[in-house]
Amino acid sequence: MIKILAACGAGVNSSHQIKSALENEMKKRGYQVSVDTTMIKDINQDKLEHYDIFTQIANSNLGFEINIPVVDAGPILYRIPTMAEPVYQELEDTIKKLGKK
């Protein structure tokens, strides 16, 4: 199981859209992922330690170094398959690098 954290400004809309899209697409590709959502302001190093991958909507400076892979997932929100595909591929490549399934 791959644990992913998706964050957006309020943690109630965009991050949930990303959660749904990532869980559906990665399931189609044969991966078991679990995506949690949160407000970007609630992220700290302790919270990130519980996840394998962090997906953000926009490149954000959290004020500390992120020690897990980061995938920019914002293009998923446009709901245009050709814009979302590179995000899905980057996420799959990241999962493979982590050696998880």
Side-chain angles (χ1 to χ4, degrees):
M1 175 72 70
I2 299 110
K3 293 196 64 161
I4 300 170
L5 181 63
C8 69
V12 294
N13 189 1
S14 299
S15 58
H16 283 267
Q17 291 180 45
I18 289 171
K19 168 188 169 70
S20 178
L22 294 180
E23 287 179 342
N24 289 334
E25 183 64 25
M26 290 302 109
K27 184 177 179 181
K28 288 179 192 173
R29 295 179 183 216
Y31 297 98
Q32 291 183 329
V33 302
S34 172
V35 182
D36 291 335
T37 62
T38 191
M39 295 173 70
I40 194 92
K41 72 172 188 63
D42 291 340
I43 297 174
N44 56 41
Q45 289 175 311
D46 290 337
K47 188 170 200 163
L48 286 176
E49 287 180 6
H50 301 283
Y51 295 93
D52 301 303
I53 301 169
F54 172 53
T55 57
Q56 58 185 3
I57 293 173
N59 192 3
S60 304
N61 181 353
L62 299 176
F64 58 86
E65 186 173 336
I66 300 172
N67 295 322
I68 61 174
V70 178
V71 175
D72 291 329
I76 289 172
L77 299 175
Y78 292 107
R79 298 181 184 206
I80 300 172
T82 54
M83 293 182 74
E85 177 54 32
V87 175
Y88 297 142
Q89 190 58 53
E90 183 180 352
L91 185 62
E92 183 175 10
D93 292 345
T94 301
I95 291 169
K96 287 178 181 175
K97 286 179 187 172
L98 293 172
K100 299 209 172 196
K101 184 76 179 168

